[in-house]
Amino acid sequence: MSLLGMAMWLQDTAWSTSIRESTFMYPAIEATHLLVLAFSVGTIVWVDMRLLGWAMRGETLTDVLEQLQPYTLAAFGIAFATGLTLLSAEPVKCYNSPVFLFKMIALALAGINAGIFHVTVYKGVAKWDKAYEAPPRAKLAGAMSLLLWTVVIALGRWQAYS
């Protein structure tokens, strides 16, 4: 079965129809999605600003991550689940939307950036954490994260109106 065929099948399910045609369910899921996404990305922005030396310069990155990461991951998990639910409500519309495709690419790149940061750059944090100055690779990771999350959010808003 093709991806379009799967999207068409999903759109015809009772689950998808009930979400899409509900007066309150779709808006409630979308509102939840937007709120937890704002919380998750907000905590990511604080970490990125710390990496770039724009905020919390008196705190080590380790301390900032230890305090924010549990909230970031919990909120992102909820945002991911609500995002999948919203996708399941309108899968054919999303399949046909270039904006949605670009948003998913930007989201994947943000995840890859975070993965590379945690596997390579953050691994050596003990060497530079107490200096309160991130190395260029860490700053690049923070800048890329800010850029990619800005793109994800902008495309998400664009998608809602396209």
mmCIF file of all heavy atoms in Angstrom, residues 24-73:
data_model
loop_
_atom_site.group_PDB
_atom_site.id
_atom_site.type_symbol
_atom_site.label_atom_id
_atom_site.label_comp_id
_atom_site.label_asym_id
_atom_site.label_seq_id
_atom_site.Cartn_x
_atom_site.Cartn_y
_atom_site.Cartn_z
ATOM 1 N N PHE A 24 -15.450 19.940 19.640
ATOM 2 C CA PHE A 24 -14.512 20.288 20.707
ATOM 3 C C PHE A 24 -13.216 19.486 20.689
ATOM 4 O O PHE A 24 -12.198 19.980 21.182
ATOM 5 C CB PHE A 24 -15.184 20.122 22.071
ATOM 6 C CG PHE A 24 -16.383 21.007 22.239
ATOM 7 C CD1 PHE A 24 -17.654 20.479 22.257
ATOM 8 C CD2 PHE A 24 -16.232 22.384 22.357
ATOM 9 C CE1 PHE A 24 -18.762 21.298 22.397
ATOM 10 C CE2 PHE A 24 -17.330 23.208 22.493
ATOM 11 C CZ PHE A 24 -18.601 22.666 22.513
ATOM 12 N N MET A 25 -13.238 18.256 20.164
ATOM 13 C CA MET A 25 -12.072 17.395 20.280
ATOM 14 C C MET A 25 -10.866 17.946 19.511
ATOM 15 O O MET A 25 -9.773 18.071 20.080
ATOM 16 C CB MET A 25 -12.386 15.976 19.795
ATOM 17 C CG MET A 25 -11.336 14.981 20.202
ATOM 18 S SD MET A 25 -11.641 13.276 19.705
ATOM 19 C CE MET A 25 -13.321 13.003 20.164
ATOM 20 N N TYR A 26 -11.031 18.281 18.239
ATOM 21 C CA TYR A 26 -9.909 18.787 17.452
ATOM 22 C C TYR A 26 -9.335 20.075 18.059
ATOM 23 O O TYR A 26 -8.120 20.169 18.261
ATOM 24 C CB TYR A 26 -10.313 18.998 15.990
ATOM 25 C CG TYR A 26 -9.145 19.282 15.087
ATOM 26 C CD1 TYR A 26 -8.476 18.254 14.439
ATOM 27 C CD2 TYR A 26 -8.674 20.579 14.895
ATOM 28 C CE1 TYR A 26 -7.387 18.505 13.620
ATOM 29 C CE2 TYR A 26 -7.589 20.846 14.082
ATOM 30 C CZ TYR A 26 -6.950 19.801 13.440
ATOM 31 O OH TYR A 26 -5.861 20.063 12.641
ATOM 32 N N PRO A 27 -10.169 21.063 18.391
ATOM 33 C CA PRO A 27 -9.608 22.281 19.004
ATOM 34 C C PRO A 27 -8.918 22.010 20.348
ATOM 35 O O PRO A 27 -7.898 22.641 20.653
ATOM 36 C CB PRO A 27 -10.818 23.195 19.193
ATOM 37 C CG PRO A 27 -11.833 22.701 18.238
ATOM 38 C CD PRO A 27 -11.591 21.230 18.099
ATOM 39 N N ALA A 28 -9.445 21.078 21.136
ATOM 40 C CA ALA A 28 -8.817 20.766 22.426
ATOM 41 C C ALA A 28 -7.457 20.106 22.225
ATOM 42 O O ALA A 28 -6.484 20.435 22.920
ATOM 43 C CB ALA A 28 -9.723 19.861 23.252
ATOM 44 N N ILE A 29 -7.378 19.202 21.259
ATOM 45 C CA ILE A 29 -6.101 18.544 20.970
ATOM 46 C C ILE A 29 -5.099 19.556 20.422
ATOM 47 O O ILE A 29 -3.934 19.574 20.818
ATOM 48 C CB ILE A 29 -6.301 17.367 19.987
ATOM 49 C CG1 ILE A 29 -7.155 16.280 20.633
ATOM 50 C CG2 ILE A 29 -4.962 16.791 19.542
ATOM 51 C CD1 ILE A 29 -7.681 15.239 19.661
ATOM 52 N N GLU A 30 -5.561 20.411 19.526
ATOM 53 C CA GLU A 30 -4.668 21.424 18.953
ATOM 54 C C GLU A 30 -4.178 22.408 20.018
ATOM 55 O O GLU A 30 -3.003 22.769 20.050
ATOM 56 C CB GLU A 30 -5.356 22.176 17.819
ATOM 57 C CG GLU A 30 -4.419 23.124 17.109
ATOM 58 C CD GLU A 30 -5.001 23.691 15.840
ATOM 59 O OE1 GLU A 30 -6.235 23.817 15.731
ATOM 60 O OE2 GLU A 30 -4.203 24.022 14.949
ATOM 61 N N ALA A 31 -5.066 22.829 20.894
ATOM 62 C CA ALA A 31 -4.664 23.747 21.964
ATOM 63 C C ALA A 31 -3.628 23.090 22.878
ATOM 64 O O ALA A 31 -2.632 23.720 23.254
ATOM 65 C CB ALA A 31 -5.889 24.184 22.767
ATOM 66 N N THR A 32 -3.859 21.834 23.220
ATOM 67 C CA THR A 32 -2.899 21.101 24.040
ATOM 68 C C THR A 32 -1.561 21.002 23.322
ATOM 69 O O THR A 32 -0.495 21.229 23.914
ATOM 70 C CB THR A 32 -3.430 19.696 24.385
ATOM 71 O OG1 THR A 32 -4.689 19.821 25.050
ATOM 72 C CG2 THR A 32 -2.453 18.920 25.243
ATOM 73 N N HIS A 33 -1.620 20.676 22.033
ATOM 74 C CA HIS A 33 -0.406 20.564 21.225
ATOM 75 C C HIS A 33 0.385 21.871 21.248
ATOM 76 O O HIS A 33 1.591 21.879 21.483
ATOM 77 C CB HIS A 33 -0.779 20.182 19.783
ATOM 78 C CG HIS A 33 0.382 20.023 18.864
ATOM 79 N ND1 HIS A 33 1.285 18.988 18.974
ATOM 80 C CD2 HIS A 33 0.793 20.765 17.809
ATOM 81 C CE1 HIS A 33 2.193 19.108 18.034
ATOM 82 N NE2 HIS A 33 1.928 20.184 17.308
ATOM 83 N N LEU A 34 -0.290 22.968 21.027
ATOM 84 C CA LEU A 34 0.387 24.265 20.979
ATOM 85 C C LEU A 34 0.965 24.659 22.341
ATOM 86 O O LEU A 34 2.079 25.189 22.420
ATOM 87 C CB LEU A 34 -0.565 25.342 20.470
ATOM 88 C CG LEU A 34 -0.973 25.205 19.000
ATOM 89 C CD1 LEU A 34 -2.035 26.238 18.646
ATOM 90 C CD2 LEU A 34 0.220 25.319 18.083
ATOM 91 N N LEU A 35 0.225 24.395 23.410
ATOM 92 C CA LEU A 35 0.706 24.759 24.747
ATOM 93 C C LEU A 35 1.937 23.954 25.154
ATOM 94 O O LEU A 35 2.926 24.527 25.636
ATOM 95 C CB LEU A 35 -0.407 24.595 25.775
ATOM 96 C CG LEU A 35 -1.519 25.628 25.705
ATOM 97 C CD1 LEU A 35 -2.669 25.244 26.638
ATOM 98 C CD2 LEU A 35 -0.994 27.010 26.063
ATOM 99 N N VAL A 36 1.890 22.637 24.962
ATOM 100 C CA VAL A 36 3.049 21.832 25.373
ATOM 101 C C VAL A 36 4.220 22.038 24.426
ATOM 102 O O VAL A 36 5.380 21.963 24.844
ATOM 103 C CB VAL A 36 2.710 20.331 25.541
ATOM 104 C CG1 VAL A 36 1.734 20.128 26.676
ATOM 105 C CG2 VAL A 36 2.213 19.711 24.265
ATOM 106 N N LEU A 37 3.944 22.338 23.162
ATOM 107 C CA LEU A 37 5.025 22.651 22.230
ATOM 108 C C LEU A 37 5.713 23.950 22.651
ATOM 109 O O LEU A 37 6.946 24.038 22.660
ATOM 110 C CB LEU A 37 4.497 22.767 20.804
ATOM 111 C CG LEU A 37 5.552 22.997 19.736
ATOM 112 C CD1 LEU A 37 6.487 21.801 19.633
ATOM 113 C CD2 LEU A 37 4.902 23.264 18.396
ATOM 114 N N ALA A 38 4.921 24.931 23.031
ATOM 115 C CA ALA A 38 5.496 26.196 23.496
ATOM 116 C C ALA A 38 6.352 25.963 24.743
ATOM 117 O O ALA A 38 7.446 26.529 24.873
ATOM 118 C CB ALA A 38 4.391 27.204 23.791
ATOM 119 N N PHE A 39 5.890 25.126 25.639
ATOM 120 C CA PHE A 39 6.653 24.834 26.854
ATOM 121 C C PHE A 39 7.945 24.099 26.508
ATOM 122 O O PHE A 39 9.032 24.464 26.981
ATOM 123 C CB PHE A 39 5.806 24.004 27.828
ATOM 124 C CG PHE A 39 6.459 23.817 29.154
ATOM 125 C CD1 PHE A 39 6.343 24.782 30.137
ATOM 126 C CD2 PHE A 39 7.202 22.682 29.426
ATOM 127 C CE1 PHE A 39 6.959 24.625 31.374
ATOM 128 C CE2 PHE A 39 7.822 22.515 30.653
ATOM 129 C CZ PHE A 39 7.695 23.486 31.625
ATOM 130 N N SER A 40 7.833 23.065 25.666
ATOM 131 C CA SER A 40 9.000 22.270 25.284
ATOM 132 C C SER A 40 10.034 23.119 24.550
ATOM 133 O O SER A 40 11.216 23.131 24.906
ATOM 134 C CB SER A 40 8.563 21.095 24.404
ATOM 135 O OG SER A 40 9.672 20.345 23.982
ATOM 136 N N VAL A 41 9.592 23.834 23.530
ATOM 137 C CA VAL A 41 10.526 24.669 22.763
ATOM 138 C C VAL A 41 11.051 25.809 23.630
ATOM 139 O O VAL A 41 12.218 26.196 23.514
ATOM 140 C CB VAL A 41 9.868 25.182 21.466
ATOM 141 C CG1 VAL A 41 10.768 26.170 20.745
ATOM 142 C CG2 VAL A 41 9.543 24.007 20.545
ATOM 143 N N GLY A 42 10.237 26.303 24.541
ATOM 144 C CA GLY A 42 10.703 27.356 25.448
ATOM 145 C C GLY A 42 11.877 26.892 26.294
ATOM 146 O O GLY A 42 12.861 27.637 26.466
ATOM 147 N N THR A 43 11.816 25.674 26.798
ATOM 148 C CA THR A 43 12.941 25.168 27.593
ATOM 149 C C THR A 43 14.156 24.903 26.705
ATOM 150 O O THR A 43 15.290 25.118 27.138
ATOM 151 C CB THR A 43 12.553 23.894 28.375
ATOM 152 O OG1 THR A 43 12.112 22.884 27.460
ATOM 153 C CG2 THR A 43 11.475 24.180 29.407
ATOM 154 N N ILE A 44 13.914 24.473 25.478
ATOM 155 C CA ILE A 44 15.017 24.266 24.531
ATOM 156 C C ILE A 44 15.702 25.601 24.234
ATOM 157 O O ILE A 44 16.928 25.690 24.164
ATOM 158 C CB ILE A 44 14.510 23.594 23.239
ATOM 159 C CG1 ILE A 44 14.098 22.143 23.519
ATOM 160 C CG2 ILE A 44 15.570 23.647 22.139
ATOM 161 C CD1 ILE A 44 13.328 21.478 22.394
ATOM 162 N N VAL A 45 14.910 26.643 24.082
ATOM 163 C CA VAL A 45 15.468 27.968 23.804
ATOM 164 C C VAL A 45 16.366 28.429 24.948
ATOM 165 O O VAL A 45 17.435 29.001 24.715
ATOM 166 C CB VAL A 45 14.342 28.985 23.512
ATOM 167 C CG1 VAL A 45 14.849 30.417 23.548
ATOM 168 C CG2 VAL A 45 13.692 28.679 22.164
ATOM 169 N N TRP A 46 15.966 28.171 26.188
ATOM 170 C CA TRP A 46 16.818 28.561 27.324
ATOM 171 C C TRP A 46 18.163 27.845 27.278
ATOM 172 O O TRP A 46 19.211 28.448 27.530
ATOM 173 C CB TRP A 46 16.119 28.289 28.658
ATOM 174 C CG TRP A 46 15.146 29.358 29.008
ATOM 175 C CD1 TRP A 46 13.792 29.254 29.035
ATOM 176 C CD2 TRP A 46 15.448 30.709 29.369
ATOM 177 N NE1 TRP A 46 13.233 30.457 29.384
ATOM 178 C CE2 TRP A 46 14.233 31.367 29.596
ATOM 179 C CE3 TRP A 46 16.627 31.426 29.509
ATOM 180 C CZ2 TRP A 46 14.173 32.705 29.963
ATOM 181 C CZ3 TRP A 46 16.561 32.762 29.883
ATOM 182 C CH2 TRP A 46 15.338 33.383 30.099
ATOM 183 N N VAL A 47 18.142 26.551 26.944
ATOM 184 C CA VAL A 47 19.393 25.795 26.837
ATOM 185 C C VAL A 47 20.244 26.363 25.700
ATOM 186 O O VAL A 47 21.453 26.570 25.849
ATOM 187 C CB VAL A 47 19.114 24.288 26.622
ATOM 188 C CG1 VAL A 47 20.400 23.541 26.286
ATOM 189 C CG2 VAL A 47 18.450 23.690 27.853
ATOM 190 N N ASP A 48 19.607 26.636 24.563
ATOM 191 C CA ASP A 48 20.340 27.189 23.419
ATOM 192 C C ASP A 48 20.932 28.556 23.752
ATOM 193 O O ASP A 48 22.075 28.855 23.382
ATOM 194 C CB ASP A 48 19.427 27.304 22.198
ATOM 195 C CG ASP A 48 18.981 25.952 21.673
ATOM 196 O OD1 ASP A 48 19.641 24.941 21.984
ATOM 197 O OD2 ASP A 48 17.956 25.908 20.964
ATOM 198 N N MET A 49 20.165 29.375 24.445
ATOM 199 C CA MET A 49 20.685 30.689 24.826
ATOM 200 C C MET A 49 21.845 30.554 25.800
ATOM 201 O O MET A 49 22.796 31.334 25.755
ATOM 202 C CB MET A 49 19.570 31.564 25.391
ATOM 203 C CG MET A 49 18.567 31.980 24.332
ATOM 204 S SD MET A 49 17.414 33.294 24.767
ATOM 205 C CE MET A 49 17.052 33.061 26.446
ATOM 206 N N ARG A 50 21.797 29.550 26.670
ATOM 207 C CA ARG A 50 22.924 29.293 27.573
ATOM 208 C C ARG A 50 24.141 28.860 26.769
ATOM 209 O O ARG A 50 25.262 29.310 27.029
ATOM 210 C CB ARG A 50 22.545 28.226 28.614
ATOM 211 C CG ARG A 50 23.713 27.731 29.468
ATOM 212 C CD ARG A 50 24.360 28.873 30.242
ATOM 213 N NE ARG A 50 25.584 28.478 30.873
ATOM 214 C CZ ARG A 50 26.802 28.620 30.339
ATOM 215 N NH1 ARG A 50 26.947 29.131 29.144
ATOM 216 N NH2 ARG A 50 27.868 28.241 30.998
ATOM 217 N N LEU A 51 23.952 27.992 25.777
ATOM 218 C CA LEU A 51 25.066 27.558 24.941
ATOM 219 C C LEU A 51 25.718 28.741 24.227
ATOM 220 O O LEU A 51 26.944 28.812 24.113
ATOM 221 C CB LEU A 51 24.584 26.553 23.887
ATOM 222 C CG LEU A 51 24.348 25.135 24.359
ATOM 223 C CD1 LEU A 51 23.665 24.316 23.267
ATOM 224 C CD2 LEU A 51 25.659 24.487 24.766
ATOM 225 N N LEU A 52 24.890 29.664 23.763
ATOM 226 C CA LEU A 52 25.397 30.818 23.031
ATOM 227 C C LEU A 52 25.950 31.909 23.951
ATOM 228 O O LEU A 52 26.527 32.886 23.482
ATOM 229 C CB LEU A 52 24.284 31.393 22.143
ATOM 230 C CG LEU A 52 23.888 30.487 20.978
ATOM 231 C CD1 LEU A 52 22.574 30.952 20.362
ATOM 232 C CD2 LEU A 52 24.989 30.451 19.936
ATOM 233 N N GLY A 53 25.744 31.753 25.266
ATOM 234 C CA GLY A 53 26.228 32.744 26.219
ATOM 235 C C GLY A 53 25.329 33.965 26.318
ATOM 236 O O GLY A 53 25.756 35.022 26.778
ATOM 237 N N TRP A 54 24.076 33.833 25.907
ATOM 238 C CA TRP A 54 23.131 34.944 25.924
ATOM 239 C C TRP A 54 22.290 34.989 27.195
ATOM 240 O O TRP A 54 21.612 35.983 27.448
ATOM 241 C CB TRP A 54 22.184 34.868 24.729
ATOM 242 C CG TRP A 54 22.857 34.993 23.401
ATOM 243 C CD1 TRP A 54 24.137 35.400 23.143
ATOM 244 C CD2 TRP A 54 22.270 34.709 22.135
ATOM 245 N NE1 TRP A 54 24.386 35.379 21.799
ATOM 246 C CE2 TRP A 54 23.250 34.960 21.147
ATOM 247 C CE3 TRP A 54 21.026 34.259 21.728
ATOM 248 C CZ2 TRP A 54 23.012 34.782 19.797
ATOM 249 C CZ3 TRP A 54 20.790 34.080 20.375
ATOM 250 C CH2 TRP A 54 21.768 34.348 19.428
ATOM 251 N N ALA A 55 22.301 33.922 27.983
ATOM 252 C CA ALA A 55 21.485 33.866 29.199
ATOM 253 C C ALA A 55 22.137 32.906 30.187
ATOM 254 O O ALA A 55 22.883 32.011 29.797
ATOM 255 C CB ALA A 55 20.067 33.400 28.869
ATOM 256 N N MET A 56 21.841 33.093 31.438
ATOM 257 C CA MET A 56 22.283 32.203 32.518
ATOM 258 C C MET A 56 23.781 31.930 32.472
ATOM 259 O O MET A 56 24.219 30.801 32.661
ATOM 260 C CB MET A 56 21.494 30.896 32.479
ATOM 261 C CG MET A 56 20.024 31.073 32.713
ATOM 262 S SD MET A 56 19.120 29.534 32.739
ATOM 263 C CE MET A 56 19.012 29.157 31.007
ATOM 264 N N ARG A 57 24.548 32.952 32.235
ATOM 265 C CA ARG A 57 26.003 32.793 32.096
ATOM 266 C C ARG A 57 26.665 32.329 33.384
ATOM 267 O O ARG A 57 27.757 31.774 33.354
ATOM 268 C CB ARG A 57 26.618 34.092 31.611
ATOM 269 C CG ARG A 57 26.152 34.458 30.213
ATOM 270 C CD ARG A 57 26.815 35.712 29.764
ATOM 271 N NE ARG A 57 28.233 35.414 29.585
ATOM 272 C CZ ARG A 57 28.934 35.813 28.563
ATOM 273 N NH1 ARG A 57 28.388 36.544 27.642
ATOM 274 N NH2 ARG A 57 30.206 35.505 28.461
ATOM 275 N N GLY A 58 26.011 32.538 34.506
ATOM 276 C CA GLY A 58 26.569 32.103 35.780
ATOM 277 C C GLY A 58 26.238 30.664 36.137
ATOM 278 O O GLY A 58 26.650 30.175 37.176
ATOM 279 N N GLU A 59 25.510 29.990 35.274
ATOM 280 C CA GLU A 59 25.131 28.591 35.510
ATOM 281 C C GLU A 59 25.884 27.692 34.529
ATOM 282 O O GLU A 59 26.065 28.052 33.367
ATOM 283 C CB GLU A 59 23.625 28.393 35.278
ATOM 284 C CG GLU A 59 22.742 29.225 36.168
ATOM 285 C CD GLU A 59 22.788 28.806 37.614
ATOM 286 O OE1 GLU A 59 22.963 27.603 37.888
ATOM 287 O OE2 GLU A 59 22.684 29.686 38.472
ATOM 288 N N THR A 60 26.292 26.534 34.999
ATOM 289 C CA THR A 60 26.919 25.591 34.072
ATOM 290 C C THR A 60 25.841 24.974 33.189
ATOM 291 O O THR A 60 24.670 24.898 33.577
ATOM 292 C CB THR A 60 27.653 24.466 34.821
ATOM 293 O OG1 THR A 60 26.694 23.696 35.553
ATOM 294 C CG2 THR A 60 28.728 25.014 35.747
ATOM 295 N N LEU A 61 26.250 24.542 32.008
ATOM 296 C CA LEU A 61 25.307 23.896 31.104
ATOM 297 C C LEU A 61 24.741 22.624 31.741
ATOM 298 O O LEU A 61 23.560 22.316 31.591
ATOM 299 C CB LEU A 61 25.964 23.569 29.765
ATOM 300 C CG LEU A 61 25.044 22.874 28.772
ATOM 301 C CD1 LEU A 61 23.885 23.777 28.385
ATOM 302 C CD2 LEU A 61 25.809 22.425 27.556
ATOM 303 N N THR A 62 25.582 21.919 32.472
ATOM 304 C CA THR A 62 25.129 20.699 33.141
ATOM 305 C C THR A 62 23.970 21.009 34.087
ATOM 306 O O THR A 62 22.959 20.299 34.086
ATOM 307 C CB THR A 62 26.292 20.048 33.911
ATOM 308 O OG1 THR A 62 27.347 19.777 32.992
ATOM 309 C CG2 THR A 62 25.856 18.758 34.575
ATOM 310 N N ASP A 63 24.105 22.065 34.878
ATOM 311 C CA ASP A 63 23.035 22.440 35.806
ATOM 312 C C ASP A 63 21.759 22.822 35.051
ATOM 313 O O ASP A 63 20.653 22.433 35.440
ATOM 314 C CB ASP A 63 23.464 23.601 36.698
ATOM 315 C CG ASP A 63 24.511 23.200 37.718
ATOM 316 O OD1 ASP A 63 24.657 21.987 37.982
ATOM 317 O OD2 ASP A 63 25.191 24.104 38.252
ATOM 318 N N VAL A 64 21.911 23.595 33.984
ATOM 319 C CA VAL A 64 20.753 24.017 33.203
ATOM 320 C C VAL A 64 20.049 22.805 32.603
ATOM 321 O O VAL A 64 18.824 22.671 32.686
ATOM 322 C CB VAL A 64 21.173 25.028 32.099
ATOM 323 C CG1 VAL A 64 20.013 25.328 31.164
ATOM 324 C CG2 VAL A 64 21.704 26.305 32.725
ATOM 325 N N LEU A 65 20.823 21.899 32.001
ATOM 326 C CA LEU A 65 20.216 20.705 31.400
ATOM 327 C C LEU A 65 19.555 19.808 32.441
ATOM 328 O O LEU A 65 18.462 19.296 32.205
ATOM 329 C CB LEU A 65 21.266 19.910 30.624
ATOM 330 C CG LEU A 65 21.594 20.422 29.236
ATOM 331 C CD1 LEU A 65 22.745 19.634 28.634
ATOM 332 C CD2 LEU A 65 20.381 20.346 28.335
ATOM 333 N N GLU A 66 20.209 19.626 33.578
ATOM 334 C CA GLU A 66 19.629 18.768 34.619
ATOM 335 C C GLU A 66 18.299 19.314 35.114
ATOM 336 O O GLU A 66 17.398 18.548 35.444
ATOM 337 C CB GLU A 66 20.602 18.604 35.786
ATOM 338 C CG GLU A 66 21.737 17.654 35.498
ATOM 339 C CD GLU A 66 22.736 17.553 36.639
ATOM 340 O OE1 GLU A 66 22.556 18.244 37.673
ATOM 341 O OE2 GLU A 66 23.710 16.796 36.495
ATOM 342 N N GLN A 67 18.177 20.625 35.151
ATOM 343 C CA GLN A 67 16.936 21.218 35.632
ATOM 344 C C GLN A 67 15.844 21.244 34.570
ATOM 345 O O GLN A 67 14.669 21.069 34.887
ATOM 346 C CB GLN A 67 17.213 22.632 36.145
ATOM 347 C CG GLN A 67 18.063 22.653 37.401
ATOM 348 C CD GLN A 67 18.424 24.058 37.825
ATOM 349 O OE1 GLN A 67 17.663 24.984 37.616
ATOM 350 N NE2 GLN A 67 19.591 24.222 38.419
ATOM 351 N N LEU A 68 16.201 21.488 33.318
ATOM 352 C CA LEU A 68 15.188 21.678 32.281
ATOM 353 C C LEU A 68 14.852 20.432 31.475
ATOM 354 O O LEU A 68 13.723 20.288 31.001
ATOM 355 C CB LEU A 68 15.620 22.794 31.321
ATOM 356 C CG LEU A 68 15.706 24.193 31.901
ATOM 357 C CD1 LEU A 68 16.176 25.177 30.850
ATOM 358 C CD2 LEU A 68 14.373 24.621 32.477
ATOM 359 N N GLN A 69 15.815 19.536 31.306
ATOM 360 C CA GLN A 69 15.600 18.409 30.402
ATOM 361 C C GLN A 69 14.406 17.517 30.753
ATOM 362 O O GLN A 69 13.677 17.110 29.843
ATOM 363 C CB GLN A 69 16.873 17.582 30.281
ATOM 364 C CG GLN A 69 16.877 16.706 29.054
ATOM 365 C CD GLN A 69 18.265 16.193 28.735
ATOM 366 O OE1 GLN A 69 19.074 15.964 29.637
ATOM 367 N NE2 GLN A 69 18.539 16.011 27.469
ATOM 368 N N PRO A 70 14.145 17.205 32.013
ATOM 369 C CA PRO A 70 12.966 16.374 32.291
ATOM 370 C C PRO A 70 11.659 17.027 31.819
ATOM 371 O O PRO A 70 10.783 16.353 31.269
ATOM 372 C CB PRO A 70 12.978 16.220 33.812
ATOM 373 C CG PRO A 70 14.390 16.473 34.217
ATOM 374 C CD PRO A 70 14.921 17.461 33.230
ATOM 375 N N TYR A 71 11.542 18.331 32.003
ATOM 376 C CA TYR A 71 10.344 19.046 31.556
ATOM 377 C C TYR A 71 10.280 19.110 30.035
ATOM 378 O O TYR A 71 9.218 18.973 29.441
ATOM 379 C CB TYR A 71 10.311 20.461 32.144
ATOM 380 C CG TYR A 71 10.315 20.475 33.649
ATOM 381 C CD1 TYR A 71 11.446 20.861 34.355
ATOM 382 C CD2 TYR A 71 9.189 20.082 34.360
ATOM 383 C CE1 TYR A 71 11.443 20.868 35.738
ATOM 384 C CE2 TYR A 71 9.189 20.080 35.747
ATOM 385 C CZ TYR A 71 10.317 20.477 36.430
ATOM 386 O OH TYR A 71 10.316 20.472 37.789
ATOM 387 N N THR A 72 11.436 19.329 29.414
ATOM 388 C CA THR A 72 11.501 19.382 27.957
ATOM 389 C C THR A 72 11.036 18.066 27.362
ATOM 390 O O THR A 72 10.204 18.047 26.453
ATOM 391 C CB THR A 72 12.943 19.682 27.486
ATOM 392 O OG1 THR A 72 13.386 20.893 28.075
ATOM 393 C CG2 THR A 72 13.016 19.781 25.973
ATOM 394 N N LEU A 73 11.568 16.975 27.864
ATOM 395 C CA LEU A 73 11.234 15.659 27.315
ATOM 396 C C LEU A 73 9.770 15.292 27.561
ATOM 397 O O LEU A 73 9.112 14.743 26.679
ATOM 398 C CB LEU A 73 12.167 14.595 27.887
ATOM 399 C CG LEU A 73 13.637 14.726 27.475
ATOM 400 C CD1 LEU A 73 14.491 13.696 28.196
ATOM 401 C CD2 LEU A 73 13.796 14.613 25.968
#
